[in-house]
Amino acid sequence: MDGRKRPAGLAPKMDEYILGPVNGGYAWVIVFCSFMCNLIVDGTCYTFGVFIGDFVNEFAVGKGVVAWAGSLLAGVYMTVGPFVGALSDVIGCRLTLIIGAIIGCLSFVLASQATNIYVLFLTYGVMGGIGLGLIYLPSLMLVNFYFEKKRAMATGIAVCGSGFGTFLCAPFAAWLQDSYGWRGAHLIIGGLVLNCC
């Protein structure tokens, strides 16, 4: 810590909860949690293609129109980064991540009840993108607070969750779709996103 004082009225930052880098032990638990958050966030984001056929049939629109929902999710998820970083500085990484998990869960639960494509754009695309964006950045920032010596390796392991999520979540989403339909699958995906808390 550099000895600077925070302005009155602001929540303590994550680095004020930690006396210094842990560099092992519990820090690896944080890496695992970040890995799982990345697995769920990117796995969820990149399984949209599994559901395109269902959305086309359900809402009677073309694939190009349906693709906007997935594009909105990915675009908003990455675009909110600067706002999420600022929010994390004000209220802390943990609270930001928890808020994101709740918003993300609600977005997929509401998307499962969508009655038209525009509701899907709003719930799945915009709201889901905000929720996933609020999870992604703080989960990576937390790793940096716990490491000094092996920070690059720890961050690399955490980011690796994105690749695993891309591989594992598509067949899992297809199984959910076959077993529960697209609406049931999105309810379950919402529950998975809530686990990022």
Side-chain angles (χ1 to χ4, degrees):
M1 302 239 285
D2 59 8
R4 290 182 288 173
K5 299 288 183 187
R6 292 192 51 76
L10 292 180
K13 291 193 325 187
M14 187 62 213
D15 59 356
E16 292 177 0
Y17 293 119
I18 302 167
L19 297 176
V22 178
N23 290 319
Y26 184 71
W28 291 109
V29 173
I30 299 299
V31 171
F32 175 75
C33 293
S34 181
F35 175 93
M36 292 306 295
C37 284
N38 282 301
L39 185 146
I40 291 169
V41 166
D42 282 334
T44 300
C45 189
Y46 296 120
T47 58
F48 179 76
V50 172
F51 302 104
I52 284 183
D54 287 333
F55 294 149
V56 167
N57 294 334
E58 181 77 25
F59 301 121
V61 294
K63 288 182 180 178
V65 175
V66 169
W68 271 98
S71 297
L72 282 169
L73 176 72
V76 171
Y77 150 55
M78 292 297 177
T79 304
V80 297
F83 306 105
V84 173
L87 183 64
S88 296
D89 282 341
V90 174
I91 66 172
C93 291
R94 287 181 182 166
L95 186 56
T96 303
L97 201 145
I98 290 169
I99 291 168
I102 292 168
I103 291 172
C105 173
L106 286 174
S107 73
F108 290 105
V109 168
L110 292 173
S112 75
Q113 306 303 313
T115 55
N116 62 55
I117 193 69
Y118 301 107
V119 173
L120 192 71
F121 289 167
L122 182 65
T123 56
Y124 186 94
V126 176
M127 192 174 165
I130 292 169
L132 296 183
L134 286 165
I135 296 168
Y136 178 72
L137 186 62
S139 73
L140 291 177
M141 289 171 59
L142 280 170
V143 172
N144 291 320
F145 286 119
Y146 282 87
F147 284 92
E148 187 175 66
K149 295 177 184 171
K150 297 181 180 178
R151 184 176 292 163
M153 185 177 75
T155 304
I157 292 170
V159 171
C160 223
S162 297
F164 277 92
T166 303
F167 284 124
L168 298 176
C169 289
F172 179 65
W175 177 79
L176 288 176
Q177 177 192 33
D178 292 340
S179 302
Y180 303 104
W182 76 267
R183 292 185 187 274
H186 280 83
L187 283 172
I188 294 168
I189 290 169
L192 286 174
V193 171
L194 188 61
N195 280 299
C196 291
C197 283

